[in-house]
Amino acid sequence: MPSESNQRKRVLSGMRPTGKLHLGNYVGALQNWVGMQDQYECFFCVVDWHALTTDYADTSQVKPNSIEVLLDWLAAGLDPERCTMFLQSHVPLHAELHLLFSMITPLGWLERVPTYKEQRENITDKDLSTYGFLGYPVLQAADILIYKGDFVPVGEDQVPHVELTREIARRFNNFYSFNGRSLFPEPQPLLTPTPKLPGTDGRKMSKSYGNTIMLTDPEPVVRQKLKTMVTDPARVRRSDPGNPDLCPVGDLHKIFSDRTTLAKVNEGCRSAGIGCIECKGWAADALVNILNPMQERRKKYEDNPRLAWDILEAGSARASKVAGATMNEVRDAMGMSLEYEAPRAPQATK
Ligand code: SF4
């Protein structure tokens, strides 16, 4: 079945509500999403249940964080007229499909997911030996397949998750069919460019490292953060030539600066013709240029959060309709229809 009458392929993606987003989130996902809105039929989900897989002991921030994420989506340019933004827990059918998928998913498939092992080893301040944490890729499969997503935009590290979703779809299709055909398409990963975005200390930008530039940082904060950002360690004195390819500020220029600035940085850094302070000022200019319009858009919703909430509710209603149609087929295929069927009366004998 084509995913939509206008034949646009359907894209499904989600983001955990971890609070306000930073430039790394923007460059790694959000910027790509914004560009996909017209090419694909996009469903973007704030996956608040996924937040519970690690933050189950204190759930107080899940809802406020969900709204912050939505505000940043809107700020970045996701448009409710061109895509569907919704809250996972407001489409409870995801949980039903998760349950049904959990019946057919072998444990071994989940235990071998690379991020499962990795996170259990790295996150030591939480007990992740829970059923929910092991099963989160099954929930992810439900999130995608309930919309019969054609594509899932991911970076390289997320490809195994999409592969698991494909395996679950295949297994379901092997066991059950709907009107004699396979019910679920096997979604493809849509590999999106995720340029290396360093934080202010040169490591990957991440909230846990405290090295982020937030989408909501006002101009003076952005400029201050840039001032203290690490540079090419070989450039100790102003007269030492540097190499922008070995400098986190150089990486920022590659992503955000125009060609003329980039050429000035390349030439000036290598010949020691410019100082790092000047160069960082140009990088800050480029960031402020991108962040200012976002912050203006965000303000409209910050002043009236109800507007944002209404967008989420309308999106959740739209998503529920699509999810509901899929679930009718799933229940039918599995012989679990909600329709009442009278038991057959025994044939009368003459
Ligand atoms: S001039 Fe710019 S690119 Fe070169 S080391 Fe300094 S901050 Fe980095």
Side-chain angles (χ1 to χ4, degrees):
M1 184 184 85
S3 54
E4 200 203 24
S5 51
N6 66 7
Q7 301 298 310
R8 272 192 305 170
K9 295 282 186 188
R10 190 172 281 169
V11 156
L12 198 291
S13 199
M15 216 180 260
R16 271 181 191 231
T18 50
K20 289 180 176 173
L21 302 179
H22 54 72
L23 270 177
N25 304 125
Y26 177 70
V27 170
L30 195 46
Q31 191 178 22
N32 288 319
W33 292 7
V34 172
M36 283 174 192
Q37 295 179 95
D38 297 319
Q39 193 180 352
Y40 300 103
E41 188 200 6
C42 295
F43 285 77
F44 298 125
C45 179
V46 180
V47 286
D48 53 348
W49 278 336
H50 282 276
L52 302 185
T53 58
T54 49
D55 298 339
Y56 56 83
D58 176 7
T59 57
S60 61
Q61 292 311 301
V62 174
K63 198 155 196 173
N65 283 349
S66 298
I67 294 295
E68 291 294 353
V69 165
L70 176 71
L71 292 183
D72 278 333
W73 286 4
L74 293 165
L78 288 187
D79 174 357
E81 299 294 321
R82 291 150 66 212
C83 69
T84 301
M85 289 171 262
F86 68 102
L87 191 59
Q88 184 187 31
S89 64
H90 284 211
V91 187
L93 292 167
H94 288 227
E96 184 182 351
L97 189 56
H98 170 232
L99 174 106
L100 297 175
F101 281 166
S102 73
M103 302 297 172
I104 64 166
T105 306
L107 266 184
W109 288 9
L110 301 175
E111 284 161 346
R112 69 162 200 243
V113 171
T115 46
Y116 173 70
K117 288 190 219 141
E118 199 184 289
Q119 291 200 7
R120 281 207 62 183
E121 280 161 20
N122 291 336
I123 303 179
T124 49
D125 58 336
K126 287 170 190 155
D127 179 6
L128 296 183
S129 54
T130 60
Y131 177 56
F133 185 70
L134 177 69
Y136 85 81
V138 182
L139 180 56
Q140 218 168 32
D143 297 337
I144 297 164
L145 293 174
I146 206 164
Y147 300 100
K148 300 187 177 176
D150 296 298
F151 292 111
V152 186
V154 284
E156 286 280 357
D157 57 331
Q158 289 287 312
V159 170
H161 284 204
V162 183
E163 186 47 46
L164 184 67
T165 296
R166 291 161 56 80
E167 282 178 295
I168 291 175
R170 215 173 297 148
R171 192 163 163 89
F172 185 98
N173 290 339
N174 277 341
F175 285 138
Y176 322 105
S177 66
F178 178 70
N179 289 344
R181 61 178 168 80
S182 291
L183 204 155
F184 289 114
E186 290 184 28
Q188 302 288 334
L190 190 63
L191 279 172
T192 48
T194 45
K196 175 184 156 208
L197 187 86
T200 49
D201 60 359
R203 291 186 290 175
K204 185 181 176 202
M205 190 176 284
S206 159
K207 264 191 192 161
S208 47
Y209 294 150
N211 64 359
T212 56
I213 297 168
M214 307 302 289
L215 301 186
T216 42
D217 278 346
E219 180 169 344
V221 175
V222 174
R223 292 197 181 277
Q224 186 53 39
K225 284 185 176 176
L226 261 286
K227 265 188 196 149
T228 54
M229 188 155 180
V230 298
T231 57
D232 175 1
R235 212 174 168 201
V236 181
R237 285 175 298 268
R238 167 71 173 77
S239 54
D240 294 333
N243 182 351
D245 294 335
L246 303 175
C247 173
V249 181
D251 290 332
L252 287 187
H253 278 297
K254 279 179 205 131
I255 299 171
F256 298 108
S257 289
D258 58 36
R259 277 206 197 158
T260 320
T261 312
L262 208 49
K264 281 199 297 184
V265 171
N266 261 318
E267 209 282 314
C269 177
R270 290 174 208 277
S271 64
I274 56 167
C276 290
I277 294 176
E278 194 178 11
C279 178
K280 288 173 163 186
W282 296 339
D285 292 343
L287 294 188
V288 167
N289 265 338
I290 286 179
L291 296 180
N292 266 351
M294 287 194 203
Q295 292 171 4
E296 270 167 37
R297 273 196 292 268
R298 197 182 210 274
K299 190 163 184 320
K300 176 175 129 193
Y301 297 102
E302 278 173 342
D303 291 346
N304 186 358
R306 180 81 226 179
L307 276 181
W309 188 252
D310 287 348
I311 287 171
L312 211 50
E313 282 299 275
S316 300
R318 214 179 310 155
S320 293
K321 231 172 128 187
V322 179
T326 305
M327 284 314 295
N328 282 338
E329 294 178 356
V330 168
R331 294 188 203 108
D332 245 41
M334 295 183 77
M336 307 291 287
S337 164
L338 301 181
E339 303 282 312
Y340 175 75
E341 283 167 32
R344 284 215 182 122
Q347 296 284 322
T349 46
K350 287 188 183 169

